[in-house]
Amino acid sequence: MTSQDVVLSERGIAAGAALPGPGGPALFACRSAAAGTMSMRQTYLDIAAAAAAARSASCTWVEAMRSSSPTRSSRSATDVDEFTAWVRKHPSALSKFEQIAGASKGKKIVMFLDYDGTLSPIVADPDAAYMSDAMRAAVREVAKTFPTAIVSGRCRDKVRNFVGLPELYYAGSHGMDIKGPSSNPESVLCQPASEFLPMIDEVYKALLEKTESTPGAKVENNKFCLSVHFRCVDEKRWNALGEQVKAVIKEYPKLKLTQGRKVLEIRPSIKWDKGKALEFLLESLGFANCSDVLPVYIGDDRTDEDAFKVLRKTGQGLGILVSKCPKETNASYSLQDPTEVMEFLLRLVEWKRKPSSSSTTTMIRRTRV
């Protein structure tokens, strides 16, 4: 989903340094009794205001981290009503499958899939985010039926190893590292941020050192971008971790800091994202400006919003957000979790392979695990 640039208040940092110590008013010099009292009062008010700004900046930062990673606790009646209203606006791609099938008639579907939270469940250890064999089989069938690409914030080689299907297109590092099927020697290759590699490696080492004092923090090198995972960090330490990350990034103005689901992302400040990757792949596949193509993009995170925006802007294609919680999104439809994603993919393949794609669709019966 759309990454929000995180801006920590510089005023807040200054205010933190200006907080009064135990000595309080004794630290302020007075030129005269009356003037000194007025001066002390004003200075104290200034410091109090600065301290409040610092606390506000801290709360804003933590709230942003919390809102990007909603909890999965049981829903209250209000939450249920809110979710019901949200689903009316972004209906389930399963319940509206006939509508999607109708929009797909006579068009060439091109499938774009995020990885974490879409094909695999979100897990505490990002190195253990394995997709199930059943999901891999489903994606294999999708790739046999439609041109298919995995678009992930992960390093391209890592996500390719997770998926294990060489016949797909892979766009790693939020679309900054694109490679086509390995069977094609002339496969597409796009790396618009190559010049940033030395800088990314340098920042990676600095972040490892800076965050080592925060239990549970994990820094991941995704080649053209970096991820600082805080899923296993005590929430009381989130603000301190954010400050640690910002302290490193402020030395590199050509990099930007954004947020995802319990992860902070550091990326080159170039005009390239998952939306650009989608456009690049469509053009590479020969589908640029084609009216008979229907891109379908399924993703769960803020960075996927860049792709959803492209589809909405062109009015061509379907964005499907994977979420159990109401979120602001440019996607047209929703699915709740990877299990529903797999169900939708299998149903789409079944529909496409029927002698008449306009006939009434039926569910592929399977045992949920």
Side-chain angles (χ1 to χ4, degrees):
M1 299 180 61
T2 303
S3 291
Q4 291 184 336
D5 289 356
V6 177
V7 181
L8 298 181
S9 170
E10 295 296 342
R11 184 183 176 189
I13 294 174
L19 290 174
L27 295 175
F28 304 122
C30 301
R31 293 183 180 177
S32 66
T37 301
M38 292 286 289
S39 177
M40 266 171 49
R41 178 177 173 79
Q42 186 58 50
T43 305
Y44 181 79
L45 290 173
D46 288 345
I47 291 175
R55 288 192 296 272
S56 176
S58 173
C59 288
T60 300
W61 171 243
V62 173
E63 283 303 317
M65 294 172 82
R66 190 180 291 119
S67 67
S68 71
S69 312
T71 59
R72 300 298 183 217
S73 57
S74 58
R75 294 174 181 159
S76 66
T78 302
D79 291 335
V80 171
D81 290 344
E82 201 175 295
F83 184 71
T84 301
W86 183 79
V87 169
R88 280 198 294 267
K89 188 177 179 182
H90 308 284
S92 166
L94 290 171
S95 66
K96 294 293 183 180
F97 187 81
E98 294 290 347
Q99 187 179 86
I100 292 173
S104 305
K105 281 185 61 177
K107 295 187 177 181
K108 177 75 171 179
I109 294 175
V110 183
M111 188 66 65
F112 297 88
L113 302 167
D114 181 29
Y115 182 74
D116 293 277
T118 299
L119 299 182
S120 74
I122 297 292
V123 295
D125 181 2
D127 290 332
Y130 304 111
M131 66 191 296
S132 67
D133 290 338
M135 179 66 87
R136 182 172 293 104
V139 175
R140 182 181 288 113
E141 292 306 308
V142 169
K144 288 178 182 177
T145 313
F146 316 108
T148 303
I150 306 296
V151 187
S152 171
R154 300 276 197 149
C155 168
R156 174 170 55 83
D157 289 340
K158 179 177 285 187
V159 76
R160 185 182 181 282
N161 288 336
F162 273 140
V163 177
L165 299 173
E167 61 267 34
L168 307 184
Y169 291 82
Y170 289 92
S173 300
H174 298 294
M176 289 182 283
D177 189 9
I178 302 174
K179 185 79 168 60
S182 57
S183 58
N184 183 358
E186 298 180 0
S187 187
V188 239
L189 177 66
C190 179
Q191 296 179 333
S194 296
E195 64 183 279
F196 288 89
L197 278 176
M199 185 184 296
I200 292 293
D201 287 338
E202 186 177 315
V203 174
Y204 173 64
K205 293 172 184 175
L207 284 172
L208 283 176
E209 183 178 345
K210 197 75 173 177
T211 63
E212 65 179 354
S213 61
T214 303
K218 183 179 180 64
V219 184
E220 184 179 16
N221 190 336
N222 293 312
K223 191 170 181 177
F224 292 102
C225 61
L226 302 169
S227 298
V228 181
H229 300 273
F230 58 91
R231 186 167 298 278
C232 296
V233 175
D234 188 318
E235 189 171 330
K236 294 177 181 177
R237 292 178 175 266
W238 285 6
N239 187 61
L241 177 63
E243 293 291 347
Q244 290 172 341
V245 173
K246 193 194 174 197
V248 173
I249 301 307
K250 70 179 182 180
E251 303 297 328
Y252 299 88
K254 292 185 177 181
L255 299 179
K256 63 180 178 180
L257 177 62
T258 59
Q259 284 181 226
R261 293 177 65 179
K262 288 192 176 165
V263 64
L264 302 176
E265 305 274 8
I266 295 92
R267 293 188 279 166
S269 295
I270 62 173
K271 292 182 178 180
W272 197 271
D273 50 39
K274 289 185 176 182
K276 293 289 185 183
L278 182 151
E279 291 177 320
F280 174 84
L281 282 166
L282 285 175
E283 184 175 350
S284 299
L285 290 166
F287 296 129
N289 303 316
C290 291
S291 59
D292 62 344
V293 64
L294 186 78
V296 177
Y297 189 106
I298 308 177
D300 76 309
D301 212 348
R302 290 186 175 186
T303 54
D304 299 308
E305 286 296 326
D306 295 314
F308 296 151
K309 284 179 182 177
V310 168
L311 298 180
R312 184 171 288 275
K313 183 179 178 181
T314 60
Q316 184 178 10
L318 302 174
I320 302 175
L321 174 67
V322 183
S323 179
K324 290 183 177 180
C325 301
K327 294 180 181 179
E328 286 296 321
T329 181
N330 284 282
S332 302
Y333 298 95
S334 65
L335 292 167
Q336 290 203 28
D337 50 38
T339 299
E340 287 198 354
V341 171
M342 180 164 65
E343 192 170 317
F344 175 79
L345 294 177
L346 291 171
R347 196 168 176 184
L348 196 63
V349 168
E350 180 190 34
W351 167 81
K352 184 63 178 178
R353 290 180 179 175
K354 281 185 175 182
S356 174
S357 293
S358 61
S359 61
T360 303
T361 57
T362 57
M363 291 288 294
I364 290 181
R365 301 186 182 279
R366 58 182 177 78
T367 302
R368 294 194 182 192
V369 292

